[in-house]
Structure formats: C-alpha cells, structure tokens
Amino acid sequence: MSNVPLMPKATAVWLVDNTALSFEQIGDFCKLHPLEVKGIADGEVAQGIKGLDPISTGQLSRDEITLAEKDHNRRLRLLDPKVRLPEQKKRRGPRYTPVSRRHDRPNAILWLLRNHAELKDAQIIRLVGTTKATIQSIRDRTHWNSPQLSPMDPVTLGLCSQIDLDLEVQRAAKDRPATAGHEDRGATLLPADVTTGHDEHEEEPRKGRESLDLETVFAKLGGSKKNEAEDDED
C-alpha cells in the first residue's frame, strides 16, 4: 500500500486552511517539502487547487489530527483503507518496436510466415508488434513494398528474443491437431507374409534342382557300393 495520500497538494491545502499542524507535519504526511507547504500557506503555491478533506476520504481521523496539533513532534499516520481494490492486471498489448527497427518488421513477418507457418496471426503480432492487416498483405503479396522484402530472422533483427520465439512455436505445436500427420504416411514396410513368402515361379526350378541333386547323390552312393562289391569278388 502507498503511504502517499490521494491528491497530496489538495490535501495539504485543506490541512493548511483547517488545522494548526506545522509545515513539517503537513509536508511529512503529504510527501512535500516544508517550504512548499509554506508556499501554499502564503498563497504562492497551489493557487486554484481546491482543498481535499482527508477525514471525509477516510485517510485521516479527527482524533489523529487533534493529537498531532498538540504535539508538533508527532507524525500523522495514514489510515488503512476500509475497502481494498484488487490490483488491475496489465493487459499485454502489441510489442513495442523501436522506430529504428520498424522498417525491418515486414522482413521479419515474411521470415516467420515461411519458416513457422504454424504460427497464428496473434502470435506474430506479439512477437514483432505488427497488425493483422500487415500480416495478411505480406501473405497475399499485396504489401506496398512486397517486391523488395527479404525474409530476416526477427531474433537477429532484435525484434524479439529467442526465448519468446521458441515459446510461441511450442504453443503453436500444442494447438496443432494430432491426427494431421496420419493422412499421408507415405511408403510403408511390406507385410510379413509377402516378405517371407516364396515365389511360385521360383518354387518349381528349386524342386527340380533338389530332385536332381538327390539323384546324383544316390547315384554316387550306388556306384561306390558296386565298386566295393567288385573288389570283394576279386
């Protein structure tokens, strides 16, 4: 909570006109220099400013003022407000871009559209501080300087940080549908029954070779047995 009363000069004007407080006490309460308070009392400062009653606004009590008037060493204490207003969150608007860098924004937008097409217009606006109409004109090549544009990294140009860019890309990746990558799978592996199966045309020559090999083996075996029998007879 701030220790400064609402409208300090207007409060000081009312205290000077309606109390017997010293200039130091009023200056300490209103965060003004005692000479400035003296100037208010002399009519040289804050001319035309209407006094603001700190009692009616709940900033001071009558008893607090009475005690301070009796003791000029006493300092006034600002009362705690009866109603506390919640702090308003600052709305994040488009990123501020320095004047020296504004001519680079179209090049940065073109770079983002080419390298990160998944980014939404709102994300590009947050990154480089542009407008939706400018993004659309660069996308449609209707921008007045479209022929001279060249894609340039916004991080290199100093329009945004690498952390901000990575964060927006990650957000865009999360928003992308998960089924989008299953539409076109491309070439896939052949089924196992195809890769392990045998060709019918190759089967017959193989059987023929196997039968021929068996006959040759048995013929050799038969010939060897016949030769052994002839040797026994001799």
Side-chain angles (χ1 to χ4, degrees):
M1 183 186 68
S2 176
N3 292 325
V4 181
L6 296 174
M7 303 176 64
K9 283 192 177 182
T11 302
V13 169
W14 189 92
L15 292 174
V16 167
D17 295 338
N18 298 277
T19 67
L21 296 171
S22 65
F23 296 154
E24 288 78 9
Q25 288 174 309
I26 297 175
D28 179 74
F29 179 72
C30 298
K31 306 306 179 198
L32 301 174
H33 195 277
L35 293 179
E36 189 173 3
V37 179
K38 183 178 183 301
I40 293 175
D42 295 339
E44 298 175 356
V45 180
Q47 294 181 358
I49 294 180
K50 184 179 180 180
L52 177 66
D53 183 1
I55 299 175
S56 62
T57 56
Q59 300 180 91
L60 275 177
S61 65
R62 174 60 66 181
D63 295 338
E64 181 72 16
I65 294 176
T66 302
L67 292 174
E69 286 176 335
K70 295 178 180 179
D71 182 8
H72 284 181
N73 293 323
R74 182 183 178 88
R75 295 291 179 258
L76 296 172
R77 295 182 180 180
L78 189 68
L79 295 178
D80 293 332
K82 296 180 180 180
V83 179
R84 293 184 180 273
L85 298 177
E87 295 183 1
Q88 296 182 354
K89 295 182 179 179
K90 294 182 179 181
R91 297 182 60 185
R92 292 188 60 184
R95 181 184 295 274
Y96 173 75
T97 305
V99 178
S100 59
R101 293 291 185 183
R102 290 180 184 177
H103 65 279
D104 292 328
R105 281 190 299 192
N107 295 328
I109 296 170
L110 182 60
W111 188 91
L112 291 172
L113 292 176
R114 290 189 179 182
N115 294 276
H116 296 286
E118 70 276 9
L119 291 177
K120 299 179 180 179
D121 290 354
Q123 293 177 299
I124 298 177
I125 291 173
R126 285 197 297 267
L127 287 172
V128 299
T130 184
T131 62
K132 192 170 184 179
T134 303
I135 298 173
Q136 189 62 34
S137 64
I138 295 175
R139 183 183 287 115
D140 299 340
R141 297 184 180 276
T142 57
H143 190 268
W144 65 273
N145 198 29
S146 184
Q148 281 72 36
L149 293 181
S150 59
M152 299 181 69
D153 188 351
V155 177
T156 304
L157 294 173
L159 297 176
C160 67
S161 65
Q162 187 64 49
I163 296 176
D164 292 337
L165 177 59
D166 294 341
L167 181 61
E168 296 296 346
V169 171
Q170 290 175 5
R171 288 178 179 175
K174 290 181 181 179
D175 296 338
R176 186 184 302 174
T179 58
H182 298 284
E183 295 179 357
D184 185 12
R185 296 185 180 181
T188 58
L189 295 176
L190 296 175
D193 56 351
V194 175
T195 57
T196 59
H198 302 290
D199 194 352
E200 296 179 355
H201 298 286
E202 294 181 356
E203 193 68 25
E204 294 180 357
R206 185 177 299 175
K207 290 181 179 180
R209 288 195 298 270
E210 290 179 356
S211 60
L212 180 60
D213 294 339
L214 291 175
E215 291 176 359
T216 304
V217 172
F218 284 122
K220 289 182 178 180
L221 291 175
S224 60
K225 290 181 178 180
K226 184 176 181 181
N227 293 334
E228 290 177 357
E230 290 178 354
D231 293 340
D232 292 340
E233 290 179 355
D234 293 339

